[in-house]
Amino acid sequence: MLFRNIRKVVKYSFYSGVTIGGTVVAFKYRDGDYDSLAIVRLSRAALTAVNIGRTYQSMLYSREWDKASKEYIQAKSDAHTIGAAKLLELCKANKGVYIKVGQHVGALDYLLPNEYVQTMRVLHKDAPRNSLEELYEVIREDLKKDPEDLFEEFDSEPLGTASLAQVHKAKLKDGSEVAVKVQHHFVRKNIKIDLQWMEFIINVMSKVFPDFQMQWLVDETKKNITKELDFLQEGKNAEKVSELFRNYTWLKVPKIYWEYSSERVLVMEYVTGGQVNDVKYLEKHNISKPDLCTKLGDLYSHMIFVTGFVHSDPHPGNILVHKDPQDKDVSVYLLDHGLYAQLSDKFRYHYSKLWLSIIARDRDKIRVHAEHLGIEKELYGLFACMVTGRPWDAIMKGIDKSGPSSDE
């Protein structure tokens, strides 16, 4: 039944897509930009959905299993591994939003099969990159100037490549060293249809293993993607957080060069340092780990409980630390300001009360404040465990009484 439905959806999607795709193929074909063609991207997505479904059909659903048996567990793991590889191949081929959703999947430990999480995790450090000429074309279109007229130097190797953009070191004509973030040229024109088909893929996967519902992932991506695609908003976010934390002398936010920036190009001060989780770098530069943890805890607590303006992508690559031998204190650089959450007063009140209730081991108040945060009554305990990263027994004994055990 599932595969009849899949074939039906794919069939009619192709019929409606061919009319649109056919009218643009002749125009786009000459450019050789096949990956930007709607019909190509739709075909890949549809084919991947069908192939993933067939994999599970042939390996798992074509016979009766004892689901407690080692044979079934191994067959399920093998099916997950093959399905994950097919999904990774699709993400790398279609790029853009597919990479972003794939990166999210790679971060969902304990929520999705480990085979999917581990396979998709490579996208965190191995996102496809664009050529220098493709970047230059975006710069020309947005800034109306040749890159040669704007930059004295422009490194060909990217500092980093992500789902929506890549960053290169450059030098302005006045000698200023800058980091240039350029949006992938294909992202905007494919965003709407990519989200629709990514949703289709995820719905197919949800039917294959019903325990893992991921519609929320698509909904979150839909809600946030337009914010992340506006680099001018990212620049404004950077300046806002810099102003909000101006008294945090150790916190640094790279300066924005507005005259060189647009919705798809962001030029900012170039900074150096080690990633916050690079223990060898911290030790080599005599950076106190407890002091650094205290600073980061203070920073995010202030964001969450005081300002309500929260940097929403604090992975290690976005937090750099730097300390020269003559410096008394470490500098912490906060990067990538494309996505912030603005927490309401109501949320901040109940979230702070939730934490106080957890520390006080007050089960009834934990339940009350969890409900105000949208958690169903019977799930308040699980929510408290998720928030603290501690098991319920440890919460009831007092998370301020002892740290995590080796078993935890």
Side-chain angles (χ1 to χ4, degrees), residues 35-174:
D35 287 335
S36 294
L37 293 175
I39 192 65
V40 172
R41 302 171 72 79
L42 294 181
S43 300
R44 281 200 197 111
L47 188 60
T48 299
V50 171
N51 283 340
I52 290 175
R54 284 177 175 168
T55 297
Y56 285 93
Q57 175 67 20
S58 63
M59 297 182 69
L60 290 182
Y61 303 143
S62 58
R63 54 170 284 191
E64 293 294 323
W65 290 93
D66 172 6
K67 294 192 175 180
S69 68
K70 290 183 179 180
E71 186 184 6
Y72 172 76
I73 293 171
Q74 184 60 53
K76 184 169 71 169
S77 177
D78 292 343
H80 286 338
T81 300
I82 294 171
K86 292 179 186 298
L87 185 61
L88 176 64
E89 185 179 351
L90 172 67
C91 291
K92 285 188 169 183
N94 277 6
K95 299 183 281 192
V97 174
Y98 287 81
I99 294 286
K100 190 155 199 69
V101 173
Q103 289 172 335
H104 281 304
V105 170
L108 295 178
D109 302 79
Y110 314 116
L111 293 178
L112 294 177
N114 187 56
E115 294 83 358
Y116 277 87
V117 173
Q118 293 302 322
T119 299
M120 304 306 284
R121 190 162 281 171
V122 302
L123 294 175
H124 288 142
K125 59 180 180 357
D126 190 25
R129 65 170 66 176
N130 286 328
S131 69
L132 208 57
E133 185 50 44
E134 287 170 324
L135 300 183
Y136 284 171
E137 188 59 32
V138 173
I139 293 172
R140 290 187 193 101
E141 288 176 3
D142 277 33
L143 301 182
K144 311 303 180 188
K145 289 185 178 180
D146 280 329
E148 294 81 1
D149 296 331
L150 298 170
F151 305 104
E152 189 67 31
E153 299 174 6
F154 197 101
D155 286 3
S156 58
E157 284 297 307
L159 296 169
T161 303
S163 55
L164 304 180
Q166 62 193 60
V167 181
H168 289 250
K169 183 182 177 183
K171 184 181 287 187
L172 298 177
K173 292 295 185 179
D174 66 2

Side-chain angles (χ1 to χ4, degrees), residues 6-16:
I6 292 173
R7 284 195 295 269
K8 191 181 296 182
V9 172
V10 172
K11 174 183 174 183
Y12 290 115
S13 298
F14 269 120
Y15 286 163
S16 60

